[in-house]
Amino acid sequence: MAKIISGTEIGRAMRAEIAVEAAAFERESGVTPGLAVVLVGEDPASQVYVTMKGKACREIGFHSREIVLPADTVEDELLGVIDGLNADPEIHGMLVQLPLPRHIDSQKVIMRIDPMKDVDGFHPVNVGRLAAGDRDVLAPATPSGIIQMLLRSGYDPKGKRVVVVGRSNIVGKPVALLLLRDAPGGNATVTVAHSRTPDLGSVTRQAEILIAAAGKPQLITREMVSPGVVVIDVGTNRVEDPTRERGFRLVGDVDFAGVKEVAAAISPVPGGVGPMTITMLLANTLQAARQIDAAAAGASS
Ligand code: NAD
């Protein structure tokens, strides 16, 4: 029976560490890390994420700013808000909650964020630095959370055969780049599978560590993994469930019940990668505050 890799527990421990580190940084520098989250429109799921991010910030003593703009906000107005946050000394990290309304060009918005404040790691400068193997880059939160889950549960990817299922810009590709990097949590031999990969099972069975990020409920079955595999399930899929009050439940991309019988370790859904994402956003905000402070000190010396 597999060990359970709990993102809830690892995330809680990490937030306590980040709070201590942030307090020490504040004593040295007088700087309180600050995160701004911009939401355009009233998408209920996005509203929940924005509220959760703000609450997580306040709980560990960061400044938090939540900016909610109406759905018909024009692109120029949003770009103006970003310019304001780029110039704001209280704000070290910012993100614009995606998806944006269709009349706004998301890429243009992401490009406007100062790369030093881009705590989502989506700006092309940061994407490029990650691809180049830079150790100091602000890397996207979900992939960074996956790496921390592996390291902190004793499964260092170094030297292991890792298979990533999914090639999105938000999860699959950046986690593959982190796993390849010559840095802690990296140095793996990485294969990326995707929707056009034939005979997926023949690829996933080679994995010593398997990261499932396809967004397909229970895609990975017991027959598709080798005994002793370590599985991180990123999938967060709603499936109808009339027995639940809300009418659905969340399942991962992995058939948890079947795979846990043969795996050495597996992360659950919910309670796996989900709680790590906000934790890593906080870690990135502290990192951004440190880097901005160091750059300012360098410029004035
Ligand atoms: P996406 O839809 O952008 O990408 C899915 C990827 O999976 C694609 O690259 C596609 O090629 C691949 N894929 C799809 N079907 C496949 C199949 N049958 N076989 C092999 N590969 C297949 O999704 P995403 O944004 O990368 O998210 C993936 C999953 O992770 C979703 O369920 C999403 O909800 C979840 N997610 C969770 C968090 C979190 O914080 N827990 C964060 C981001 C995404």
Side-chain angles (χ1 to χ4, degrees):
M1 186 74 97
K3 171 175 153 180
I4 302 299
I5 302 178
S6 166
T8 308
E9 279 172 27
I10 295 169
R12 193 180 298 135
M14 279 194 73
R15 285 185 205 195
E17 289 171 21
I18 296 165
V20 170
E21 283 177 35
F25 169 65
E26 192 168 349
R27 277 195 302 277
E28 287 160 22
S29 63
V31 175
T32 306
L35 175 69
V37 182
V38 183
L39 173 64
V40 184
E42 280 147 23
D43 176 57
S46 295
Q47 281 176 337
V48 171
Y49 289 134
V50 170
T51 307
M52 282 166 65
K53 286 166 186 172
K55 183 166 169 273
C57 270
R58 288 186 290 277
E59 274 172 8
I60 65 164
F62 286 11
H63 285 309
S64 162
R65 203 164 315 151
E66 288 141 62
I67 299 167
V68 181
L69 303 171
D72 59 1
T73 301
V74 295
E75 194 175 272
D76 272 348
E77 205 177 328
L78 176 58
L79 295 175
V81 169
I82 294 171
D83 289 343
L85 294 169
N86 281 339
D88 189 330
E90 268 193 9
I91 298 300
H92 306 93
M94 82 169 93
L95 63 90
V96 179
Q97 190 69 43
L98 301 175
L100 284 166
R102 298 230 315 247
H103 65 277
I104 298 179
D105 179 349
S106 303
Q107 199 53 27
K108 200 166 166 187
V109 169
I110 290 169
M111 295 276 282
R112 193 68 160 243
I113 297 173
D114 179 347
M116 291 194 83
K117 297 191 176 186
D118 168 39
V119 282
D120 257 345
F122 294 160
H123 191 289
V125 165
N126 289 324
V127 175
R129 285 178 62 188
L130 177 62
D134 189 330
R135 288 174 170 229
D136 298 322
V137 67
L138 291 166
T142 300
S144 302
I146 295 166
I147 301 295
Q148 286 301 320
M149 287 169 80
L150 290 170
L151 286 177
R152 286 169 181 256
S153 50
Y155 301 106
D156 190 335
K158 184 178 175 182
K160 300 285 189 233
R161 284 192 306 276
V162 184
V163 174
V164 178
V165 182
R167 59 175 164 186
S168 75
N169 291 331
I170 295 174
V171 188
K173 264 187 239 162
V175 81
L177 291 171
L178 286 170
L179 288 161
L180 272 178
R181 198 166 59 161
D182 183 3
N187 292 302
T189 302
V190 186
T191 303
V192 182
H194 48 79
S195 53
R196 305 294 172 91
T197 301
D199 191 6
L200 183 61
S202 69
V203 179
T204 53
R205 274 189 293 275
Q206 292 171 23
E208 294 172 281
I209 297 173
L210 178 64
I211 296 169
K216 293 279 176 288
Q218 305 187 331
L219 173 71
I220 307 294
T221 59
R222 180 177 173 156
E223 295 68 39
M224 292 169 74
V225 299
S226 292
V229 67
V230 173
V231 181
I232 302 290
D233 189 353
V234 191
T236 312
N237 308 294
R238 285 182 177 199
V239 295
E240 273 186 42
D241 185 347
T243 68
R244 303 285 173 101
E245 201 178 313
R246 55 187 182 175
F248 68 88
R249 70 193 149 88
L250 291 181
V251 299
D253 288 350
V254 179
D255 169 21
F256 184 83
V259 171
K260 82 175 191 314
E261 297 302 321
V262 290
I266 183 166
S267 70
V269 178
V273 177
M276 293 300 293
T277 298
I278 292 184
T279 302
M280 298 315 295
L281 197 58
L282 300 173
N284 277 356
T285 303
L286 174 57
Q287 183 185 331
R290 284 198 167 120
Q291 289 175 343
I292 290 168
D293 186 56
S300 63
S301 66

